[in-house]
Amino acid sequence: MRRGLVLGTLVVLGALAVARAQQPADAPKVVEVEKVKDNLFVLRGGGGNTAVFVTAAGVTVVDAKNPGWGGPILAKIKELTPKPVTTLINTHTHGDHVSGNVEFPASVEVIAQANTKANMEKMPIFKEHNNVGMAKKTFTDKMTLGSGADRIDLYYFGPGHTNGDAWVVFPAHRIVHAGDIFAGKGVPLIDEANGGSMLHIGDTLAKAHAGIKDVDTIINGHTPKQTTWADLQEFATFNKELVAWMQAELKAGKTPDQAAAEWKLPEKYKDYSPTVGALFGGLAGRIKTLQTEMAGKK
């Protein structure tokens, strides 16, 4: 079976290390709501964290979870506001963030970074639904939607989790949805098949920290609670130090599997997850990705 198909299946199943355990297909789809601000909510369950931003003109949604979760998201939004959903932003291409797109009305404008749209076009779910839910509007580095209290700024700073990770900023609330480039505190999720970069993720995170102004709080891709802007700076440093360690291990002649077996979480990052999920090859897979990038083969 081709690697891309295997990867797509894993992602659609939501088998991310930081995600909640996959429920049976017939299990009730329960959407949990956290009110972050008067008009900004986080919906949890069924995949990545979904943001719901209620504006004067309608509702903007960020990420649409696993297959079958678009309907529950829309139903929950109706409980929060009578306003229609007008916009859906996807932070990146993975099935636990975009699959619910296909259940949104055709009138909803779907927006993503240009590379993410290209990645989404390879996904079976959109082909099976005649491109319903596919991104129609894209941006390269930055885009602004709306104005005043309803403004949303979209940024792209470079490869990390994928090659199209969007940062979705709500300036009026000093909050950003980071998607899975900062899924949570721990070894990053790097999807090499969709342009992710172990070599560059630390720099990309640092650029985001320096380039986005006046933000205090981060809605992460999968954590059950938000993190702070200082946490992002620390996460960038963690990734740079992790890459430096990987490079030293490879220089010492160790294989990715040998290095991964010896890795221990540094004490100063004791609040980070000490385990690395198997998705994308586990820690050895991240080291192999770095090795490929360093060899200039990517």
Side-chain angles (χ1 to χ4, degrees):
M1 186 177 290
R2 292 177 301 169
R3 178 184 179 188
L5 179 58
V6 173
L7 176 60
T9 301
L10 284 171
V11 174
V12 167
L13 290 174
L16 296 170
V18 293
R20 295 180 180 181
Q22 181 73 15
Q23 293 180 320
D26 59 350
K29 292 180 172 60
V30 178
V31 177
E32 299 175 359
V33 179
E34 177 189 355
K35 183 177 181 179
V36 182
K37 297 289 182 181
D38 285 342
N39 64 331
L40 179 62
F41 305 85
V42 176
L43 308 186
R44 307 189 196 280
N49 289 329
T50 296
V52 173
F53 186 49
V54 183
T55 73
V59 179
T60 293
V61 177
V62 182
D63 285 345
K65 305 188 183 296
N66 274 311
W69 283 79
I73 290 172
L74 292 168
K76 184 59 65 174
I77 291 172
K78 285 183 179 180
E79 295 178 13
L80 300 175
T81 176
K83 293 183 178 181
V85 174
T86 60
T87 308
L88 173 59
I89 302 167
N90 290 129
T91 60
H92 64 290
T93 191
H94 289 146
D96 59 330
H97 293 260
V98 306
S99 295
N101 285 25
V102 301
E103 298 176 52
F104 277 62
S107 59
V108 174
E109 183 172 54
V110 183
I111 302 173
Q113 203 274 343
N115 294 331
T116 289
K117 180 185 178 183
N119 292 333
M120 290 168 67
E121 288 172 344
K122 298 181 291 184
M123 296 178 67
I125 191 167
F126 294 108
K127 296 176 183 178
E128 293 165 1
H129 288 81
N130 297 315
N131 271 341
V132 171
M134 174 57 63
K136 301 299 183 183
K137 180 181 286 188
T138 64
F139 71 100
T140 302
D141 298 314
K142 185 180 178 183
M143 174 186 286
T144 294
L145 308 172
S147 61
D150 292 340
R151 193 176 100 218
I152 300 172
D153 291 328
L154 307 180
Y155 294 89
Y156 173 72
F157 292 100
H161 178 56
T162 69
N163 63 357
D165 302 308
W167 301 74
V168 184
V169 182
F170 307 100
H173 296 316
R174 302 173 67 91
I175 292 173
V176 60
H177 193 314
D180 281 358
I181 193 168
F182 191 6
K185 292 184 176 183
V187 172
L189 298 163
I190 305 296
D191 179 2
E192 182 181 1
N194 280 305
S197 174
M198 189 70 240
L199 181 62
H200 297 295
I201 187 172
D203 289 334
T204 297
L205 292 164
K207 288 176 183 176
H209 187 267
I212 301 174
K213 306 298 182 182
D214 302 318
V215 166
D216 302 318
T217 305
I218 301 168
I219 298 171
N220 305 87
H222 286 272
T223 57
K225 63 179 182 179
Q226 285 69 252
T227 55
T228 69
W229 201 236
D231 288 328
L232 174 59
Q233 186 175 38
E234 179 187 79
F235 188 57
T237 300
F238 170 81
N239 277 276
K240 290 180 179 181
E241 292 178 357
L242 181 60
V243 167
W245 171 81
M246 291 177 176
Q247 290 172 326
E249 293 291 285
L250 292 170
K251 186 176 180 180
K254 295 179 184 177
T255 67
D257 289 327
Q258 288 171 335
E262 297 174 5
W263 182 76
K264 293 182 180 180
L265 182 70
E267 176 62 25
K268 64 180 177 179
Y269 298 113
K270 60 185 178 181
D271 62 330
Y272 281 47
S273 173
T275 60
V276 183
L279 191 61
F280 307 123
L283 182 58
R286 316 302 200 267
I287 301 172
K288 290 174 185 176
T289 295
L290 175 66
Q291 192 174 42
T292 301
E293 291 185 272
M294 289 171 59
K297 296 178 182 178
K298 184 174 180 181

